[in-house]
């Protein structure tokens, strides 16, 4: 069994929960276009890129837009979202996340972020977590969305660690599938019923410690 020497983390739902900000921004956009957007709809966008999310939302609203119009709408939503996350604080870090990252650093493990978010650097800066990551790979660095493994493979490459020596922490099915496709171990954050392909599922990073990683 390969020894785990690096951990790669998804951002939303694992380290912080920015779903409420995405929800408010998408809802505002949908309302301006003349239809509603619910929290249930927002759940369906977990782990999906901004462009793909917009395609789904426009489909739900029965609205067709040109590529140029879609780009403008995605940009408008992101502007609202960035305005909201400017005020994020360290108390918005999910329970156990900072402590687990600190435990990893103390144990000499490498850390990377592997997220579809294009605003991950800002979020980590606002919450004070940026120094706890060795590498950031996000939507600014990849061309393919999960379940494509590109974001995790780039993270491993940037760390100089073989995929087999990495474990991914994910809260979305697409992310779990991406980790498996990358040849990495994966810890699911959330429901064992939903994330049933993960090697281990926990409710949050408060439920896991470094010694458990080599038993996956």
């Amino acid at each position: 069994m390969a020894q785990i020497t690096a951990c790669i983390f998804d951002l939303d739902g694992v380290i912080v929960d920015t779903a409420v900000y995405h929800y408010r921004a998408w809802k505002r956009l949908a309302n301006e276009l003349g239809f509603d957007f619910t929290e249930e709809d927002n759940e369906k966008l977990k782990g999906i890129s901004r462009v793909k999310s917009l395609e789904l939302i426009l489909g739900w609203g029965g609205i067709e837009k040109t590529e140029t119009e879609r780009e403008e709408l995605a940009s408008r939503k992101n502007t609202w979202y960035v305005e909201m996350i400017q005020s994020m604080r360290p108390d918005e870090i999910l329970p156990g996340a900072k402590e687990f990252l600190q435990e990893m650093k103390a144990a000499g493990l490498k850390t990377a972020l592997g997220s579809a978010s294009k605003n991950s650097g800002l979020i980590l800066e606002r919450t004070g977590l940026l120094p706890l990551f060795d590498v950031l790979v996000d939507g600014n660095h990849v061309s393919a969305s999960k379940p494509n493994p590109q974001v995790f493979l780039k993270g491993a490459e940037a760390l100089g660690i073989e995929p087999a020596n990495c474990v991914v922490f994910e809260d979305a099915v697409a992310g779990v599938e991406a980790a498996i496709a990358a040849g990495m171990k994966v810890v699911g954050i959330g429901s064992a019923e939903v994330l049933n392909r993960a090697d281990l599922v926990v409710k949050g990073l408060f439920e896991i410690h470094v010694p458990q990683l080599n038993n996956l």
Side-chain angles (χ1 to χ4, degrees):
M1 185 182 297
Q3 183 179 7
I4 298 300
T5 55
C7 293
I8 305 177
F9 296 85
D10 180 39
L11 182 63
D12 288 341
V14 176
I15 302 295
V16 297
D17 188 0
T18 61
V20 64
Y21 301 115
H22 283 294
Y23 169 62
R24 289 173 186 168
W26 283 127
K27 185 177 180 66
R28 179 175 173 183
L29 187 70
N31 290 167
E32 287 193 2
L33 291 170
F35 62 96
D36 200 16
F37 177 77
T38 67
E39 291 185 39
E40 289 74 23
D41 293 332
N42 198 52
E43 282 294 305
K44 297 171 187 172
L45 305 181
K46 267 190 176 181
I48 298 176
S49 71
R50 188 188 315 154
V51 172
K52 182 63 177 175
S53 293
L54 178 61
E55 287 178 7
L56 288 172
I57 291 168
L58 291 176
W60 297 334
I63 291 177
E64 291 188 14
K65 294 288 184 181
T66 65
E67 185 174 347
T68 300
E69 288 172 330
R70 289 199 300 270
E71 288 174 1
E72 190 278 326
L73 290 172
S75 176
R76 196 190 318 171
K77 178 266 176 180
N78 190 57
T79 297
W80 295 332
Y81 172 71
V82 171
E83 287 172 358
M84 293 177 198
I85 63 174
Q86 290 284 353
S87 61
M88 285 189 75
R89 305 176 307 277
D91 63 8
E92 293 183 76
I93 300 169
L94 288 173
K98 183 175 183 179
E99 292 78 7
F100 183 60
L101 286 163
Q102 290 171 328
E103 182 184 342
M104 288 184 53
K105 300 300 277 186
L109 298 180
K110 295 288 187 182
T111 56
L113 190 80
S115 169
S117 170
K118 291 190 174 183
N119 302 292
S120 60
L122 174 62
I123 292 168
L124 293 178
E125 181 186 340
R126 288 288 183 267
T127 53
L129 293 176
L130 195 56
L132 294 175
F133 285 89
D134 297 303
V135 165
L136 300 186
V137 180
D138 63 16
N140 297 299
H141 307 108
V142 296
S143 57
S145 299
K146 303 168 188 175
N148 187 292
Q150 184 184 39
V151 68
F152 296 140
L153 292 173
K154 278 183 173 284
E157 182 182 9
L159 289 171
I161 304 290
E162 289 296 318
N165 299 110
C166 298
V167 58
V168 169
F169 294 82
E170 260 288 352
D171 74 318
V173 171
V176 170
E177 295 299 330
I180 293 169
M184 301 176 181
K185 294 292 185 181
V186 56
V187 174
I189 307 294
S191 164
E193 186 178 341
V194 175
L195 306 174
N196 53 43
R197 293 255 288 154
D199 296 289
L200 172 70
V201 178
V202 295
K203 292 176 183 174
L205 293 176
F206 58 88
E207 284 192 345
I208 192 164
H209 296 282
V210 169
Q212 294 168 256
L213 300 181
N214 285 312
N215 295 324
L216 295 174

PDB file of all heavy atoms in Angstrom, residues 82-96:
ATOM      1  N   VAL A  82     -18.101  37.724  -5.850  1.00  0.00           N
ATOM      2  CA  VAL A  82     -16.830  38.236  -5.317  1.00  0.00           C
ATOM      3  C   VAL A  82     -17.079  39.365  -4.317  1.00  0.00           C
ATOM      4  O   VAL A  82     -16.403  39.459  -3.287  1.00  0.00           O
ATOM      5  CB  VAL A  82     -15.902  38.703  -6.460  1.00  0.00           C
ATOM      6  CG1 VAL A  82     -14.685  39.431  -5.908  1.00  0.00           C
ATOM      7  CG2 VAL A  82     -15.452  37.508  -7.295  1.00  0.00           C
ATOM      8  N   GLU A  83     -18.059  40.207  -4.614  1.00  0.00           N
ATOM      9  CA  GLU A  83     -18.412  41.279  -3.664  1.00  0.00           C
ATOM     10  C   GLU A  83     -18.830  40.688  -2.318  1.00  0.00           C
ATOM     11  O   GLU A  83     -18.465  41.203  -1.260  1.00  0.00           O
ATOM     12  CB  GLU A  83     -19.548  42.138  -4.237  1.00  0.00           C
ATOM     13  CG  GLU A  83     -19.122  43.054  -5.369  1.00  0.00           C
ATOM     14  CD  GLU A  83     -20.308  43.740  -6.038  1.00  0.00           C
ATOM     15  OE1 GLU A  83     -21.470  43.467  -5.638  1.00  0.00           O
ATOM     16  OE2 GLU A  83     -20.079  44.539  -6.962  1.00  0.00           O
ATOM     17  N   MET A  84     -19.576  39.593  -2.359  1.00  0.00           N
ATOM     18  CA  MET A  84     -20.051  38.953  -1.121  1.00  0.00           C
ATOM     19  C   MET A  84     -18.911  38.310  -0.333  1.00  0.00           C
ATOM     20  O   MET A  84     -18.834  38.447   0.891  1.00  0.00           O
ATOM     21  CB  MET A  84     -21.106  37.891  -1.458  1.00  0.00           C
ATOM     22  CG  MET A  84     -22.401  38.449  -2.013  1.00  0.00           C
ATOM     23  SD  MET A  84     -23.525  37.076  -2.449  1.00  0.00           S
ATOM     24  CE  MET A  84     -24.669  37.888  -3.538  1.00  0.00           C
ATOM     25  N   ILE A  85     -18.020  37.584  -1.027  1.00  0.00           N
ATOM     26  CA  ILE A  85     -16.974  36.857  -0.301  1.00  0.00           C
ATOM     27  C   ILE A  85     -15.854  37.765   0.195  1.00  0.00           C
ATOM     28  O   ILE A  85     -15.014  37.336   0.988  1.00  0.00           O
ATOM     29  CB  ILE A  85     -16.388  35.690  -1.136  1.00  0.00           C
ATOM     30  CG1 ILE A  85     -15.709  36.214  -2.413  1.00  0.00           C
ATOM     31  CG2 ILE A  85     -17.455  34.664  -1.450  1.00  0.00           C
ATOM     32  CD1 ILE A  85     -14.992  35.107  -3.184  1.00  0.00           C
ATOM     33  N   GLN A  86     -15.857  39.022  -0.247  1.00  0.00           N
ATOM     34  CA  GLN A  86     -14.863  39.980   0.270  1.00  0.00           C
ATOM     35  C   GLN A  86     -14.972  40.101   1.787  1.00  0.00           C
ATOM     36  O   GLN A  86     -13.992  40.418   2.463  1.00  0.00           O
ATOM     37  CB  GLN A  86     -15.067  41.363  -0.361  1.00  0.00           C
ATOM     38  CG  GLN A  86     -14.709  41.463  -1.818  1.00  0.00           C
ATOM     39  CD  GLN A  86     -13.216  41.528  -2.082  1.00  0.00           C
ATOM     40  OE1 GLN A  86     -12.422  41.627  -1.158  1.00  0.00           O
ATOM     41  NE2 GLN A  86     -12.826  41.461  -3.338  1.00  0.00           N
ATOM     42  N   SER A  87     -16.178  39.858   2.303  1.00  0.00           N
ATOM     43  CA  SER A  87     -16.398  40.036   3.738  1.00  0.00           C
ATOM     44  C   SER A  87     -16.310  38.730   4.522  1.00  0.00           C
ATOM     45  O   SER A  87     -16.665  38.688   5.701  1.00  0.00           O
ATOM     46  CB  SER A  87     -17.769  40.686   3.971  1.00  0.00           C
ATOM     47  OG  SER A  87     -18.799  39.853   3.456  1.00  0.00           O
ATOM     48  N   MET A  88     -15.836  37.639   3.871  1.00  0.00           N
ATOM     49  CA  MET A  88     -15.706  36.375   4.596  1.00  0.00           C
ATOM     50  C   MET A  88     -14.695  36.517   5.734  1.00  0.00           C
ATOM     51  O   MET A  88     -13.739  37.277   5.641  1.00  0.00           O
ATOM     52  CB  MET A  88     -15.264  35.240   3.651  1.00  0.00           C
ATOM     53  CG  MET A  88     -16.373  34.750   2.748  1.00  0.00           C
ATOM     54  SD  MET A  88     -15.903  33.245   1.823  1.00  0.00           S
ATOM     55  CE  MET A  88     -16.019  32.005   3.122  1.00  0.00           C
ATOM     56  N   ARG A  89     -14.931  35.722   6.793  1.00  0.00           N
ATOM     57  CA  ARG A  89     -14.083  35.809   7.990  1.00  0.00           C
ATOM     58  C   ARG A  89     -13.615  34.410   8.396  1.00  0.00           C
ATOM     59  O   ARG A  89     -14.220  33.405   7.991  1.00  0.00           O
ATOM     60  CB  ARG A  89     -14.868  36.436   9.148  1.00  0.00           C
ATOM     61  CG  ARG A  89     -15.473  37.788   8.848  1.00  0.00           C
ATOM     62  CD  ARG A  89     -16.306  38.285  10.024  1.00  0.00           C
ATOM     63  NE  ARG A  89     -17.299  37.316  10.447  1.00  0.00           N
ATOM     64  CZ  ARG A  89     -18.494  37.157   9.882  1.00  0.00           C
ATOM     65  NH1 ARG A  89     -18.847  37.914   8.860  1.00  0.00           N
ATOM     66  NH2 ARG A  89     -19.358  36.252  10.345  1.00  0.00           N
ATOM     67  N   PRO A  90     -12.573  34.331   9.235  1.00  0.00           N
ATOM     68  CA  PRO A  90     -12.081  33.024   9.702  1.00  0.00           C
ATOM     69  C   PRO A  90     -13.152  32.175  10.384  1.00  0.00           C
ATOM     70  O   PRO A  90     -13.057  30.947  10.363  1.00  0.00           O
ATOM     71  CB  PRO A  90     -10.964  33.409  10.678  1.00  0.00           C
ATOM     72  CG  PRO A  90     -10.449  34.701  10.150  1.00  0.00           C
ATOM     73  CD  PRO A  90     -11.670  35.424   9.652  1.00  0.00           C
ATOM     74  N   ASP A  91     -14.176  32.813  10.955  1.00  0.00           N
ATOM     75  CA  ASP A  91     -15.203  32.013  11.636  1.00  0.00           C
ATOM     76  C   ASP A  91     -16.132  31.299  10.646  1.00  0.00           C
ATOM     77  O   ASP A  91     -17.033  30.566  11.052  1.00  0.00           O
ATOM     78  CB  ASP A  91     -15.997  32.854  12.638  1.00  0.00           C
ATOM     79  CG  ASP A  91     -16.792  33.979  11.993  1.00  0.00           C
ATOM     80  OD1 ASP A  91     -16.860  34.043  10.753  1.00  0.00           O
ATOM     81  OD2 ASP A  91     -17.337  34.812  12.738  1.00  0.00           O
ATOM     82  N   GLU A  92     -15.898  31.486   9.350  1.00  0.00           N
ATOM     83  CA  GLU A  92     -16.682  30.773   8.339  1.00  0.00           C
ATOM     84  C   GLU A  92     -15.983  29.502   7.851  1.00  0.00           C
ATOM     85  O   GLU A  92     -16.488  28.807   6.979  1.00  0.00           O
ATOM     86  CB  GLU A  92     -16.993  31.695   7.162  1.00  0.00           C
ATOM     87  CG  GLU A  92     -17.933  32.838   7.539  1.00  0.00           C
ATOM     88  CD  GLU A  92     -18.315  33.711   6.360  1.00  0.00           C
ATOM     89  OE1 GLU A  92     -19.144  33.276   5.550  1.00  0.00           O
ATOM     90  OE2 GLU A  92     -17.769  34.827   6.261  1.00  0.00           O
ATOM     91  N   ILE A  93     -14.809  29.196   8.428  1.00  0.00           N
ATOM     92  CA  ILE A  93     -14.135  27.932   8.127  1.00  0.00           C
ATOM     93  C   ILE A  93     -14.963  26.805   8.734  1.00  0.00           C
ATOM     94  O   ILE A  93     -15.447  26.917   9.859  1.00  0.00           O
ATOM     95  CB  ILE A  93     -12.714  27.915   8.728  1.00  0.00           C
ATOM     96  CG1 ILE A  93     -11.870  29.063   8.149  1.00  0.00           C
ATOM     97  CG2 ILE A  93     -12.028  26.572   8.470  1.00  0.00           C
ATOM     98  CD1 ILE A  93     -10.567  29.286   8.880  1.00  0.00           C
ATOM     99  N   LEU A  94     -15.131  25.714   8.003  1.00  0.00           N
ATOM    100  CA  LEU A  94     -15.920  24.597   8.505  1.00  0.00           C
ATOM    101  C   LEU A  94     -15.224  23.924   9.696  1.00  0.00           C
ATOM    102  O   LEU A  94     -13.994  23.907   9.767  1.00  0.00           O
ATOM    103  CB  LEU A  94     -16.166  23.583   7.387  1.00  0.00           C
ATOM    104  CG  LEU A  94     -17.152  24.045   6.302  1.00  0.00           C
ATOM    105  CD1 LEU A  94     -17.199  23.053   5.154  1.00  0.00           C
ATOM    106  CD2 LEU A  94     -18.553  24.235   6.881  1.00  0.00           C
ATOM    107  N   PRO A  95     -15.995  23.367  10.623  1.00  0.00           N
ATOM    108  CA  PRO A  95     -15.437  22.764  11.848  1.00  0.00           C
ATOM    109  C   PRO A  95     -14.346  21.734  11.564  1.00  0.00           C
ATOM    110  O   PRO A  95     -14.538  20.829  10.744  1.00  0.00           O
ATOM    111  CB  PRO A  95     -16.654  22.111  12.509  1.00  0.00           C
ATOM    112  CG  PRO A  95     -17.823  22.913  12.026  1.00  0.00           C
ATOM    113  CD  PRO A  95     -17.476  23.294  10.617  1.00  0.00           C
ATOM    114  N   GLY A  96     -13.213  21.902  12.214  1.00  0.00           N
ATOM    115  CA  GLY A  96     -12.116  20.949  12.122  1.00  0.00           C
ATOM    116  C   GLY A  96     -11.166  21.151  10.955  1.00  0.00           C
ATOM    117  O   GLY A  96     -10.078  20.555  10.925  1.00  0.00           O
TER     118      GLY A  96
END
